[in-house]
Amino acid sequence: MKFDWVGSFNNGFARVGLSSKYNFIDAQGKLLLNQWFDFVGSFNNGFATVKLNNQYNFIDKKGNMLLNQWFDAVYGFDNGFAVVKLNDKWNYIDSKGNILSNQWFDGAWNFNADFARVRSNDKRNFIDTKGNIISNQWFDGAWNFNNGFAVVKLNDKWNFIDTKGNILSNCWFDDAWNFNDGFARVRLNDKYNFIDAQGKLLLNQWFDFVGSFNDGFATVKLNNQWNYIDKKGNILSNQWFDDAWSFRDGFTRVRLNDKWYNIDKNGDLKGL
């Protein structure tokens, strides 16, 4: 059979087009499906999206339709679930075609680290792989979970929740960033600090800027001068610098009075 269009092989099958309809062909040249569709997507995590009469479904590699229910829109399987839309609401299905949640949402995003963001009435929350909403509080904004915590926004302030939905800090911040190497950066009143996984601020001193931890140290800026802190909040050097780079492999570079130096984790300087 000659086709009007042929795609590349992916996961054992290639997409083919004929007379504005689409199917799959295997490595032996056999068509996978008796039905030709208005669109077929590539196989991903064992399933491919198919479209017919402006409705969407999934097929497996044997050509079986996953569900009797067709949807208004779908996003392919990722981390065990696909996002589906029906009657202007969103939900999830698993690889057996089971609907994850009894609640349908105004918006839904792919799963990431066993949790997915959902939106209802312009508020955000998270759903787990069992279909549970993890927090009683709905938020104005939310980022994906990263290193056990998600950044959330409420009333123009930012905080963190853990995977059980607990708020991390009693203090709400003007801005907050994802956890990295055990700490997250936070900003309040145009000053910066770090918060740990117990919700404690690392530093008594707030700085004009702090960088992320790298190789055990983070850059800090105060009064247009730079230094470093370790994970106990100790300042590395008695000398403050005009510029400072991040640590890598035990060393970094600093600038002082238009001269550049190497500095080690003991705070010792060596001219370049």
Side-chain angles (χ1 to χ4, degrees):
M1 180 182 293
K2 291 185 177 180
F3 304 104
D4 299 331
W5 176 84
V6 176
S8 300
F9 271 87
N10 176 53
N11 286 315
F13 295 91
R15 293 181 292 165
V16 293
L18 182 64
S19 301
S20 297
K21 296 290 183 179
Y22 297 87
N23 207 322
F24 292 93
I25 192 170
D26 65 16
Q28 286 73 47
K30 293 176 60 178
L31 289 173
L32 176 62
L33 309 167
N34 294 323
Q35 171 78 57
W36 287 72
F37 293 93
D38 300 330
F39 170 84
V40 296
S42 297
F43 276 96
N44 184 39
N45 293 312
F47 293 93
T49 305
V50 293
K51 179 182 180 182
L52 187 65
N53 299 325
N54 216 31
Q55 295 282 288
Y56 295 84
N57 211 321
F58 295 94
I59 58 163
D60 63 20
K61 290 184 177 181
K62 294 182 179 179
N64 300 313
M65 201 73 65
L66 180 58
L67 299 112
N68 292 325
Q69 175 69 59
W70 288 72
F71 298 99
D72 302 327
V74 298
Y75 291 104
F77 277 88
D78 189 38
N79 292 311
F81 293 91
V83 183
V84 295
K85 183 181 182 183
L86 186 64
N87 300 324
D88 218 27
K89 295 288 185 178
W90 296 87
N91 211 319
Y92 300 87
I93 59 170
D94 64 18
S95 59
K96 295 182 179 179
N98 299 310
I99 299 291
L100 178 61
S101 175
N102 292 326
Q103 180 177 351
W104 288 72
F105 304 99
D106 298 329
W109 288 261
N110 284 333
F111 269 84
N112 176 272
D114 295 326
F115 298 93
R117 290 181 294 158
V118 291
R119 177 172 56 85
S120 183
N121 298 321
D122 210 28
K123 297 289 185 178
R124 275 76 170 171
N125 212 318
F126 293 89
I127 191 171
D128 65 18
T129 56
K130 295 181 179 179
N132 301 310
I133 299 295
I134 73 164
S135 177
N136 293 325
Q137 176 70 61
W138 286 73
F139 301 98
D140 301 326
W143 297 2
N144 282 332
F145 273 91
N146 183 273
N147 293 313
F149 293 92
V151 181
V152 293
K153 182 181 182 182
L154 186 64
N155 300 324
D156 251 357
K157 294 289 186 177
W158 294 88
N159 210 318
F160 304 85
I161 60 170
D162 63 19
T163 56
K164 295 181 179 179
N166 300 310
I167 300 291
L168 178 61
S169 176
N170 292 326
C171 181
W172 286 75
F173 304 99
D174 297 331
D175 212 342
W177 288 263
N178 282 330
F179 269 81
N180 172 59
D181 213 4
F183 294 90
R185 294 183 295 157
V186 292
R187 180 174 62 85
L188 185 63
N189 299 324
D190 284 329
K191 297 291 184 177
Y192 294 80
N193 209 322
F194 292 93
I195 191 171
D196 67 15
Q198 285 71 48
K200 294 176 60 178
L201 291 173
L202 176 62
L203 309 166
N204 293 323
Q205 171 77 58
W206 286 73
F207 292 93
D208 299 332
F209 178 82
V210 296
S212 297
F213 276 96
N214 191 45
D215 202 16
F217 289 87
T219 53
V220 293
K221 183 181 182 182
L222 188 64
N223 299 325
N224 215 32
Q225 294 284 288
W226 294 86
N227 213 316
Y228 299 90
I229 58 163
D230 64 18
K231 291 185 177 181
K232 293 182 179 179
N234 300 310
I235 298 289
L236 176 62
S237 176
N238 292 326
Q239 175 68 58
W240 287 73
F241 305 100
D242 301 322
D243 201 356
W245 294 5
S246 296
F247 265 90
R248 181 179 180 183
D249 297 327
F251 293 90
T252 188
R253 289 186 178 184
V254 293
R255 181 170 58 85
L256 181 63
N257 299 327
D258 290 329
K259 292 185 178 181
W260 286 93
Y261 300 86
N262 282 329
I263 187 171
D264 64 19
K265 290 186 175 184
N266 295 316
D268 296 327
L269 291 177
K270 182 178 180 181
L272 296 179

